Amino acid sequence: MQDSVQVLERLLQDLDAFRAADAPPDSTLPSIAKRIAQDMEYIRDEDDMAVIASHVAEFHVFGDTFDEATTFLVETDSAADDPRLAYVYMSLLLHLGVDSPNVYRKMAQHDWTLRLRTVVMAATDAIDEPLLDHLCNLVEMTRDMDVSFNHAIISLLLCLNSQLLKKRGSTATRQRLVKVLAGRLQHCKTLSENIIYMFNRSDNPQVQLSIVLFLTGILQYQPTQHLFYTNDLTVMVDVIVRDALRVSDDNEELADMMNASTPHQLQHAYLNLMPLVLAAGAGSRSHKQVQSTLRGLAESNFAKPSTRRLAARLLNEMKPE
């Protein structure tokens, strides 16, 4: 096998052929991405990809036509059938967004939750802790600025977290975002407030599930278990009780997000979140709400058998208030 360093050095030299290219982005960028993808097996980790992305970011195509170029990367479907190209496009966008946060807004606005599912699992290395911390900083910095931009960054965080959660067998990777939050507990006020706001308002099953999984990770991880205030937990229970009784998620996309194939995964995710919220410090009213909801589902003739069993088990496991 060829030496990876030599191969990657040659890759940078080959990419220089596009440095001064004056062609439109929709002509230049696919060629750049395809050349990088050819040597994908030699790209060892996110550090290698960061060097390549930084090199490409200096090219003419990201100069006067920066907005057009990033829009092309965000909107193109040319990588839909090639996970390697999807990885290259994602890596370029994440790198470019560090200096130009509007790139992240574009990603959030163009449904990258779906696009990221095509990315090879090795690409989760590109979603590293410095990037996640940078995005968390952006959330806090834009608290009193553009609300839509603030929510777009949070949506991107949820999207990236969902991708990390799909990495089977790697707890460290799956917990990457909550570990970042654990290191900045005093600097999560805007994120914690707005994630509850989005949780309460969203009627999109995919967004709902991404938030439920995010909250589950926070409340399961001891260092972040008490990130939310009591009032936040009360609202959380209200939303869980309301939505757990009305969700319908018999679809493949939600099952894919949870690495599951059984129906009603969103409803089950809501139910499994209940005891975690109570353990985090929700008040007596919330305990009564949860008990009533679980009892109703456990005894309902119209609930699915798996849902009745889950509700009965959770009710049985509840500690006396």
Side-chain angles (χ1 to χ4, degrees), residues 181-225:
L181 296 179
R184 48 179 301 125
L185 290 176
Q186 303 306 314
H187 304 283
C188 291
K189 181 177 175 61
T190 304
L191 176 60
S192 61
E193 290 178 354
N194 287 354
I195 200 68
I196 296 299
Y197 176 87
M198 295 169 68
F199 188 43
N200 189 23
R201 296 298 185 92
S202 178
D203 58 2
N204 181 315
Q206 292 181 37
V207 175
Q208 289 173 321
L209 181 56
S210 68
I211 295 175
V212 170
L213 295 179
F214 179 52
L215 294 175
T216 299
I218 290 174
L219 297 178
Q220 280 181 332
Y221 190 54
Q222 195 277 330
T224 55
Q225 183 182 23

Side-chain angles (χ1 to χ4, degrees), residues 7 12 21-22 55 82 168 183 201 233 251 264 266 268 293 296:
V7 172
L12 295 184
D22 199 24
H55 189 76
D82 190 337
R168 293 175 177 168
R201 296 298 185 92
L233 298 173
N251 66 68
H264 296 281
L266 177 53
H268 288 194
T293 302

Side-chain angles (χ1 to χ4, degrees), residues 275-292:
L276 296 175
V277 179
L278 297 182
S284 59
R285 184 176 75 87
S286 295
H287 279 259
K288 293 176 182 177
Q289 282 181 285
V290 168
Q291 283 182 324
S292 176

Side-chain angles (χ1 to χ4, degrees), residues 93-120:
L93 286 167
L94 293 179
H95 179 82
L96 293 165
V98 173
D99 293 321
S100 302
N102 194 49
V103 172
Y104 299 142
R105 183 205 294 265
K106 291 181 180 180
M107 293 180 73
Q109 291 175 340
H110 286 82
D111 209 0
W112 269 73
T113 302
L114 293 176
R115 291 171 184 263
L116 281 173
R117 292 181 199 167
T118 69
V119 180
V120 291

Side-chain angles (χ1 to χ4, degrees), residues 3-227:
D3 180 78
S4 292
V5 174
Q6 292 180 345
V7 172
L8 296 179
E9 290 289 356
R10 186 171 65 247
L11 169 61
L12 295 184
Q13 294 173 6
D14 290 349
L15 290 173
D16 280 335
F18 302 100
R19 179 177 292 274
D22 199 24
D26 60 357
S27 173
T28 304
L29 291 174
S31 298
I32 291 174
K34 288 176 182 177
R35 177 61 190 90
I36 295 173
Q38 286 178 9
D39 288 336
M40 185 67 69
E41 63 182 290
Y42 298 100
I43 299 176
R44 298 162 295 182
D45 52 33
E46 71 273 19
D47 293 331
D48 284 349
M49 194 63 219
V51 170
I52 296 168
S54 179
H55 189 76
V56 172
E58 299 174 355
F59 290 4
H60 176 76
V61 69
F62 291 115
D64 294 340
T65 58
F66 180 87
D67 190 63
E68 184 182 352
T70 54
T71 298
F72 171 80
L73 289 176
V74 168
E75 295 182 350
T76 184
D77 291 326
S78 61
D81 298 323
D82 190 337
R84 298 177 306 162
L85 290 179
Y87 174 35
V88 173
Y89 286 158
M90 183 193 76
S91 297
L92 288 174
L93 286 167
L94 293 179
H95 179 82
L96 293 165
V98 173
D99 293 321
S100 302
N102 194 49
V103 172
Y104 299 142
R105 183 205 294 265
K106 291 181 180 180
M107 293 180 73
Q109 291 175 340
H110 286 82
D111 209 0
W112 269 73
T113 302
L114 293 176
R115 291 171 184 263
L116 281 173
R117 292 181 199 167
T118 69
V119 180
V120 291
M121 288 313 298
T124 53
D125 289 337
I127 311 171
D128 58 13
E129 292 187 12
L131 170 67
L132 295 172
D133 190 58
H134 176 69
L135 290 173
C136 288
N137 278 331
L138 279 179
V139 171
E140 300 306 314
M141 290 167 54
T142 55
R143 175 183 179 85
D144 300 316
M145 298 168 61
D146 186 343
V147 174
S148 64
F149 179 55
N150 185 278
H151 288 187
I153 299 301
I154 295 175
S155 295
L156 181 59
L157 273 170
L158 292 171
C159 174
L160 297 176
N161 185 61
S162 295
Q163 182 70 359
L164 292 173
L165 290 175
K166 291 175 62 179
K167 186 92 170 185
R168 293 175 177 168
S170 176
T171 302
T173 297
R174 292 167 59 86
Q175 293 183 335
R176 195 171 292 168
L177 179 53
V178 293
K179 286 185 175 180
V180 168
L181 296 179
R184 48 179 301 125
L185 290 176
Q186 303 306 314
H187 304 283
C188 291
K189 181 177 175 61
T190 304
L191 176 60
S192 61
E193 290 178 354
N194 287 354
I195 200 68
I196 296 299
Y197 176 87
M198 295 169 68
F199 188 43
N200 189 23
R201 296 298 185 92
S202 178
D203 58 2
N204 181 315
Q206 292 181 37
V207 175
Q208 289 173 321
L209 181 56
S210 68
I211 295 175
V212 170
L213 295 179
F214 179 52
L215 294 175
T216 299
I218 290 174
L219 297 178
Q220 280 181 332
Y221 190 54
Q222 195 277 330
T224 55
Q225 183 182 23
H226 300 292
L227 175 66

